[in-house]
Amino acid sequence: MADKKLMDGEAVRRAVRRMAHEFSEKHPQGNFALVGIQTRGVPLAHRLAKEFRAIEGGTPLPVGSLDISFHRDDLASNVPVPKGSEVLFDLKDKTVILVDDVLFTGRTIRAALDALCDLGRPRIIQLAVLVDRGHRELPLRPDFVGKNLPTSPQERVRVRLAEVDGEDAVVLEREKA
C-alpha cells in the first residue's frame, strides 16, 4: 500500500483546537466528561481536555479511557487484547463525549456504547472523532468532527499520534496497482 499524508502535525493540532472550541460553544459550563476509546481515542481525549481548559480559563474536565475489546462483534476474527477501562467518575446524569480517532462503519462506536453503559447510565452521550471517513454500516453520526475525509471502502485511514506512534499525522493507505 502506498501512503499519502492527508494531515500533518499542525493540521491535527488545528483540528483538535477547533473541536475544543465547539465543546466550549455547546457546553460553556464545562459540565461534561470525555471518554477516549482505546487506543488513540485516549490521547485525543486528553488533548481535547487540555485545549478546552485553555479556552475556558482553567476549567478541568474529567477524562476516562474505555476498553471495548469484549464488546466487539468481530471477536471470531480477532482475539482481543484487553487494555482496561479507567473511568474514575460517576457517569450517572452526566454528559459524556466519546472520543475516537476514525469513524468508519460505526461498529467500534456501537461497541463503545455497550461498554460505556456497562459502567453507568450517562444523561447524554455525544461522539467526537478526529476523522470521519464515511461508509457507515450503522445509523451513527458524530457530534464533533475534526476533518471529513471522503474515502473508498478499500482505502485505510490511519491516525498517528505522538503519544502512541511518535508523530502526529493522518495517512491514507491505498493498495498499489
Side-chain angles (χ1 to χ4, degrees), residues 22-33:
E22 289 180 44
F23 293 171
S24 179
E25 290 170 12
K26 291 190 179 179
H27 304 288
Q29 305 304 315
N31 56 350
F32 64 97

Side-chain angles (χ1 to χ4, degrees), residues 75-170:
L75 288 180
S77 62
N78 291 328
V79 176
V81 179
K83 296 173 183 80
S85 294
E86 187 173 284
V87 178
L88 303 177
F89 47 87
D90 189 9
L91 295 175
K92 185 178 180 187
D93 296 324
K94 187 174 271 321
T95 296
V96 172
I97 300 176
L98 278 174
V99 180
D100 203 9
D101 56 349
V102 179
L103 178 58
F104 182 34
T105 63
R107 295 193 177 278
T108 296
I109 303 308
R110 187 217 44 85
L113 291 169
D114 289 347
L116 187 65
C117 290
D118 282 353
L119 301 174
R121 189 181 188 292
R123 184 173 63 85
I124 296 172
I125 302 173
Q126 295 181 318
L127 176 60
V129 296
L130 182 62
V131 174
D132 182 355
R133 62 171 292 194
H135 306 288
R136 225 69 82 234
E137 294 175 2
L138 300 171
L140 297 169
R141 183 177 52 111
D143 300 281
F144 307 95
V145 178
K147 182 107 174 141
N148 286 295
L149 293 173
T151 62
S152 78
Q154 294 75 32
E155 296 171 318
R156 299 186 84 166
V157 173
R158 296 282 185 209
V159 170
R160 297 180 183 157
L161 297 176
E163 297 89 337
V164 179
D165 308 295
E167 71 167 331
D168 287 343
V170 176

Side-chain angles (χ1 to χ4, degrees), residues 7-22:
M7 294 172 73
D8 63 10
E10 182 55 32
V12 170
R13 283 185 286 285
R14 278 194 314 269
V16 168
R17 194 173 313 121
R18 187 173 50 255
M19 291 169 67
H21 276 282
E22 289 180 44

Side-chain angles (χ1 to χ4, degrees), residues 54-74:
I55 293 163
E56 288 296 315
T59 304
L61 290 177
V63 178
S65 64
L66 191 63
D67 183 352
I68 63 166
S69 299
F70 295 107
H71 293 275
R72 298 193 57 94
D73 60 4
D74 60 355

